[in-house]
Amino acid sequence: MEADHNVDIGGAAAAAAEGAPVTSRWNPTKEQISMLEGLYMQGIRTPSAEQIQQITSRLKAYGHIEGKNVFYWFQNHKARQRQKQKQESMAYINRYFHRTPQPIFAPNCPNVICSPYYLPQSDIGFYPQYHHPKVLLPGGIRRRPRTEKQEKSRAFDDDAPVHMAGNSQETLPLFPLHPTGNLHGETGKSSIGSSSAMNSTNTRSFSDQVEEGSGDQLFFDFFSGEGSSESG
Amino acid sequence: MEADHNVDIGGAAAAAAEGAPVTSRWNPTKEQISMLEGLYMQGIRTPSAEQIQQITSRLKAYGHIEGKNVFYWFQNHKARQRQKQKQESMAYINRYFHRTPQPIFAPNCPNVICSPYYLPQSDIGFYPQYHHPKVLLPGGIRRRPRTEKQEKSRAFDDDAPVHMAGNSQETLPLFPLHPTGNLHGETGKSSIGSSSAMNSTNTRSFSDQVEEGSGDQLFFDFFSGEGSSESG
DNA sequence: GCAAATTAATGATTTATTCAAG
DNA sequence: CTTGAATAAATCATTAATTTGC
């Protein structure tokens, strides 16, 4: 229970109120990036919810940040590192093919490029998370050593939020989760305020979502219909 | 700590108490599926957080269900419907090619298969959500009308859960969101009492969160190091 | 008829793509 | 061009159907 009073519970909202550029998207500070990279280098690839929370909490000291940002950062960083690696591999292999008389998959297994920059030195691969070296061939070979049994993966927490009743100091960012759901439309910006959405005009523009207006109509209508005559 | 009153308010927990197979994964009831399908047929493709919450609340009357289940259901259903349609389209085209002397793309535009099983009868395609016929050619044509401007899409709910403080009656499930991360882990475990679990025996099979053992070690170690001597 | 073995569905995760802000 | 954010596709894993042998 530290005096985290400044918890800018809602950086965006606060910023808006201040007149700042309502940062529509997270802008990581140097420190934040450093720390994130450090964590990544330590082998953290897909932080668990707990970890995300902790990371977020820590990083909040260096600027506004939410769980989702951490989540996305790792997601993107991982993907892009892999991408980079893939490209390099490809280049390497290409060069290899163009230069040498293809040893027909020599015993050396030249295709195992592993570790563009963070590979374990030898066997110290005991990261809490999974860190499969994962060769990443240019375009074929789809590895899937995940069939082990899966540590158990970290899934949702169910719908738990409700636990923390009145402690307002923390406001655990809960972090985003899910790719598409989302909230209440434009007001969203203010987010934290706890959410809400006082009016949610309508996000219907590009993808799906029914307009909240008539949408809900339909939505509820359906329920009314089914709800009453169902059970059979 | 807890007296294990097993508030079986949750389906899983209750089932466990009863002797049922601790269902490690959601098992929708007939009613739930019917309603979900109805909603889908109404055009709902990617329900917003609010919608998910409402749907979940309603469906709870027919059995245990959580926001994430609803979320996933739509995700999967959408994907699989599309998949199915694609296959059918392919089959159709294949047959077409094998039978007739390819009219060189006749004026009829035979490639527009649209609607394997739920197409509008003639022009009544005014679903609130997008209903792009979206031909779905076997393997090309990647539509992307999403380039509109994006109202801002409905993203996560940020850290919204905190809203309802002590009202234990509803406990709006906030809904899961996110594909992989998950949320506030620790406390989460006990979540609402709905699921989870009093002792973690049941859901833990796949649930989430590492046991925070060595993993956190590293994690914190880093922060200690960076955190203390970082700042610059 | 029932239980073990298979197969088919489908819930849940992860990875790859895509979009757009800075 | 970089990269945070969002969505879709691919995959994995568990549960319900279904089949098979007794």
Side-chain angles (χ1 to χ4, degrees):
Chain A
M1 35 191 202
E2 345 203 358
D4 267 13
H5 32 300
N6 73 336
V7 260
D8 63 7
I9 340 203
E18 278 294 302
V22 230
T23 57
S24 73
R25 87 177 193 182
W26 172 55
N27 216 17
T29 67
K30 278 267 181 72
E31 290 89 0
Q32 289 174 332
I33 290 182
S34 290
M35 293 179 105
L36 288 169
E37 286 181 341
L39 290 168
Y40 185 87
M41 239 180 304
Q42 273 184 44
I44 294 181
R45 240 185 31 137
T46 327
S48 68
E50 295 181 21
Q51 290 179 310
I52 287 183
Q53 256 196 200
Q54 300 187 59
I55 296 175
T56 303
S57 293
R58 294 285 164 229
L59 265 50
K60 265 182 178 167
Y62 307 104
H64 177 244
I65 188 174
E66 300 170 41
K68 69 176 183 180
N69 303 128
V70 173
F71 170 74
Y72 280 136
W73 189 90
F74 275 96
Q75 192 111 326
N76 284 320
H77 196 68
K78 174 170 55 172
R80 271 148 195 164
Q81 284 303 119
R82 185 174 298 164
Q83 196 177 185
K84 201 176 294 185
Q85 173 166 342
K86 182 162 28 177
Q87 271 195 24
E88 288 185 18
S89 300
M90 198 125 68
Y92 174 77
I93 289 180
N94 266 346
R95 189 160 30 199
Y96 195 71
F97 267 84
H98 285 279
R99 292 269 188 133
T100 67
Q102 300 126 17
I104 312 167
F105 275 65
N108 270 333
C109 280
N111 43 356
V112 180
I113 286 79
C114 93
S115 88
Y117 90 44
Y118 105 86
L119 94 164
Q121 321 204 326
S122 40
D123 64 298
I124 46 91
F126 288 85
Y127 295 124
Q129 311 200 347
Y130 69 74
H131 65 315
H132 313 244
K134 209 175 268 185
V135 188
L136 242 310
L137 257 287
I141 304 185
R142 231 159 157 79
R143 75 21 180 159
R144 75 159 120 168
R146 185 237 241 77
T147 336
E148 193 113 332
K149 189 31 185 300
Q150 194 178 29
E151 301 291 281
K152 87 222 302 268
S153 73
R154 50 197 137 352
F156 310 81
D157 189 350
D158 293 324
D159 24 50
V162 293
H163 39 299
M164 58 221 325
N167 66 348
S168 48
Q169 54 176 18
E170 255 306 4
T171 80
L172 277 216
L174 180 284
F175 124 68
L177 315 347
H178 94 310
T180 161
N182 187 18
L183 43 106
H184 3 322
E186 32 199 348
T187 30
K189 241 47 170 313
S190 39
S191 43
I192 12 160
S194 313
S195 79
S196 7
M198 28 256 298
N199 76 32
S200 72
T201 345
N202 48 7
T203 49
R204 60 64 169 192
S205 184
F206 63 107
S207 346
D208 17 276
Q209 243 37 349
V210 279
E211 349 205 333
E212 314 244 321
S214 49
D216 279 16
Q217 263 337 86
L218 260 180
F219 177 69
F220 275 111
D221 193 49
F222 174 79
F223 272 137
S224 295
E226 279 296 284
S228 44
S229 63
E230 93 44 61
S231 89
Chain B
M1 303 283 233
E2 58 266 54
D4 258 50
H5 313 1
N6 78 355
V7 262
D8 60 9
I9 325 178
E18 280 293 301
V22 230
T23 60
S24 76
R25 84 176 193 184
W26 172 55
N27 217 18
T29 66
K30 278 267 180 69
E31 291 90 0
Q32 288 174 332
I33 289 182
S34 290
M35 293 180 105
L36 287 170
E37 286 180 341
L39 290 169
Y40 184 87
M41 236 177 309
Q42 276 186 42
I44 292 181
R45 240 195 22 146
T46 328
S48 68
E50 294 180 22
Q51 289 178 310
I52 287 183
Q53 266 194 312
Q54 299 187 60
I55 296 175
T56 304
S57 293
R58 295 283 164 234
L59 266 49
K60 266 183 178 165
Y62 307 102
H64 178 243
I65 187 174
E66 300 168 42
K68 68 177 184 179
N69 304 128
V70 173
F71 170 75
Y72 282 139
W73 189 91
F74 276 96
Q75 190 114 323
N76 282 320
H77 196 68
K78 175 171 52 172
R80 275 156 190 159
Q81 285 302 119
R82 186 174 297 167
Q83 195 177 185
K84 201 176 293 185
Q85 174 166 342
K86 182 160 32 174
Q87 269 194 28
E88 288 185 19
S89 300
M90 198 126 65
Y92 175 76
I93 290 180
N94 266 346
R95 191 165 28 205
Y96 193 71
F97 267 83
H98 285 280
R99 291 269 186 135
T100 68
Q102 301 124 19
I104 312 169
F105 276 68
N108 272 333
C109 277
N111 44 358
V112 180
I113 286 80
C114 92
S115 85
Y117 89 44
Y118 108 88
L119 96 163
Q121 321 202 326
S122 38
D123 63 295
I124 47 92
F126 288 86
Y127 294 124
Q129 310 206 348
Y130 81 60
H131 59 317
H132 312 243
K134 205 177 275 178
V135 189
L136 239 310
L137 259 287
I141 303 183
R142 231 167 162 76
R143 64 82 178 95
R144 71 161 120 174
R146 183 237 241 82
T147 336
E148 190 104 346
K149 181 47 183 293
Q150 189 187 26
E151 298 293 277
K152 84 217 307 274
S153 75
R154 51 183 152 3
F156 314 81
D157 193 345
D158 289 322
D159 22 51
V162 294
H163 39 303
M164 57 233 310
N167 69 347
S168 47
Q169 54 181 9
E170 250 307 357
T171 82
L172 272 218
L174 176 287
F175 123 69
L177 318 345
H178 95 307
T180 161
N182 154 43
L183 30 105
H184 43 293
E186 51 206 89
T187 27
K189 244 39 172 307
S190 33
S191 48
I192 331 160
S194 14
S195 31
S196 0
M198 33 242 312
N199 63 30
S200 77
T201 348
N202 14 23
T203 51
R204 61 106 183 95
S205 73
F206 64 107
S207 35
D208 33 292
Q209 267 34 329
V210 284
E211 288 273 309
E212 57 191 66
S214 49
D216 280 23
Q217 261 338 86
L218 258 181
F219 177 68
F220 273 110
D221 193 48
F222 174 77
F223 271 138
S224 296
E226 280 296 285
S228 45
S229 62
E230 194 272 322
S231 91

